[in-house]
Structures are given as C-alpha cells and as structure tokens.
Amino acid sequence: MDENKLITLAQKGDITAYNRLVIEYQDMVYNVSYRILGEATTADDITQETFIAAHKALKRFRGGSFKSWLMRIATNRCYDLLRKRKRRPQSSLDELTEDNESFPPLTDEDDTGPEEEQLQQELAQGIVTCLDSLPDDQRITTVLCDIEGYAYQEIAEMTAVSLGTVKSRISRARRRLRDCLQSLGELLPAQYRL
C-alpha cells in the first residue's frame, strides 16, 4: 500500500495504517534525534513524542512530504529540549560514572590494535564534542545535511526556514567544525591535517 493511502486511512482513524507509517519512519526519526541530542534514551523519548504529536495533528496534514512534516515535528521537539536544557542544565549520575561506549558508527570495524582503537574513540569523541559546541540551529541543519544526507530543500521544509538560511547555517557550521576539528591535531587522519 502506498504512503498516501496509509495517510488517508490513518486520518480516518485506522490505527493499523498509522502503525505502518510509524514502522516506516521510526528509525529515521530516532537517528536524527540521537544525532542532534547525543543520548539514546532521550532520542527514544523524542521519537515517541514525535509520533504521538503527529497522530494528534494528522487530521491537519494537508499533503506534501509526510517525511518532511514528520521531521519538522521531531526537530521542533529537539529544539524545545535543547532550549529547556539551556535554561536548566543538568547532569545524569549514570553519565558521570559509566564508561560510555557510544558512537559505534564513527569507529572502524577492522581488526585494529588497542592503541588504534583508542585513537579512533578519541577522534569520535572529539567530533561529537565539536558538533555539540555548535549553536542548536547549526547543529540541527548539519546533522540533517552531513550525517543524515537530506537535501537543502528538505531541510528547509523540516526546520521551517528559508533555503538561504539553511545554506548559511550549514556554511557557518562547517567553518566552525573545521576550526574545532583542527584543534584535535594528530587525532585527525593525515589527509585532513593542515
């Protein structure tokens, strides 16, 4: 069954049709939320909140790209959470005490020695630190573009800003990331060092 038919059925109250849409898009929403926020449990929560909000607003969906509409809801939820955190910063005790083995997509799967593996983990953590240092709007557009691979126009629709704003945010973010990553020095592979 095609997406438009599922949306029409879901708008009429068909839960099975809506569940099929959830299954189709849940990984995408989770991945973007995780890349923006950097926390698996928070990304789970944002994913769930996104689909609950989408279900409540589904009757107001008037066509266009369902994916962009859904990602707009997800990125707005991420923005809201990031703004809330800035007003009330907090740290998790688990986060402070656990040895965090996250970011496996940023590491190489080849058999490497312990020293090489440690360098890869440090590089991955450095990249995440540089991403986290970006302003929220730049981080979100960068994640959507450079990590998730969305086109500029899709990002503009998802974030409800003009195409020119998306381009300038990505340009500024890349410049800031370049400067930040250069500070990592020898952790960067040789072809990326100045």
Side-chain angles (χ1 to χ4, degrees):
M1 190 175 295
D2 74 344
E3 183 178 280
N4 291 331
K5 181 77 172 161
L6 288 173
I7 293 168
T8 302
L9 289 171
Q11 286 175 323
K12 293 177 181 175
D14 186 339
I15 297 298
T16 304
Y18 187 71
N19 286 341
R20 287 180 65 186
L21 291 168
V22 170
I23 290 167
E24 176 70 26
Y25 290 107
Q26 66 186 357
D27 289 342
M28 177 189 63
V29 171
Y30 173 82
N31 287 336
V32 168
S33 301
Y34 178 75
R35 297 291 182 189
I36 291 169
L37 301 169
E39 300 168 0
T41 54
T42 307
D44 282 336
D45 293 342
I46 293 294
T47 302
Q48 183 175 2
E49 289 174 19
T50 297
F51 285 106
I52 290 170
H55 186 264
K56 290 178 181 176
L58 193 59
K59 290 187 181 186
R60 293 189 307 263
F61 178 70
R62 299 287 177 234
S65 172
F66 182 76
K67 178 173 78 170
S68 293
W69 180 75
L70 192 59
M71 293 308 299
R72 185 174 182 181
I73 294 171
T75 55
N76 283 341
R77 298 274 173 191
C78 290
Y79 268 127
D80 292 344
L81 184 61
L82 291 169
R83 280 191 291 264
K84 181 179 176 185
R85 283 182 180 170
K86 284 184 180 175
R87 287 192 304 265
R88 294 185 196 145
Q90 51 187 311
S91 296
S92 163
L93 290 178
D94 293 334
E95 200 175 286
L96 297 173
T97 58
E98 291 179 1
D99 191 18
N100 196 345
E101 283 289 326
S102 57
F103 311 98
L106 299 176
T107 60
D108 193 4
E109 306 234 347
D110 297 339
D111 273 343
T112 55
E115 183 178 328
E116 183 65 29
E117 187 174 319
Q118 180 64 32
L119 289 173
Q120 288 176 351
Q121 287 179 356
E122 289 176 23
L123 175 59
Q125 187 57 50
I127 292 169
V128 169
T129 300
C130 289
L131 268 173
D132 286 345
S133 72
L134 294 174
D136 297 341
D137 58 349
Q138 291 178 20
R139 181 174 355 130
I140 289 171
T141 54
T142 300
V143 166
L144 291 172
C145 180
D146 294 333
I147 297 175
E148 295 299 322
Y150 290 107
Y152 288 2
Q153 186 60 47
E154 289 179 298
I155 297 168
E157 292 170 13
M158 290 175 195
T159 57
V161 297
S162 72
L163 184 60
T165 300
V166 169
K167 289 178 180 180
S168 67
R169 285 179 181 175
I170 290 171
S171 176
R172 282 181 276 150
R174 287 176 178 165
R175 191 175 324 112
R176 289 178 74 150
L177 283 172
R178 182 193 63 225
D179 294 344
C180 181
L181 290 171
Q182 286 175 349
S183 71
L184 299 178
E186 293 186 9
L187 287 177
L188 287 174
Q191 67 263 29
Y192 297 113
R193 294 183 206 154
L194 288 179

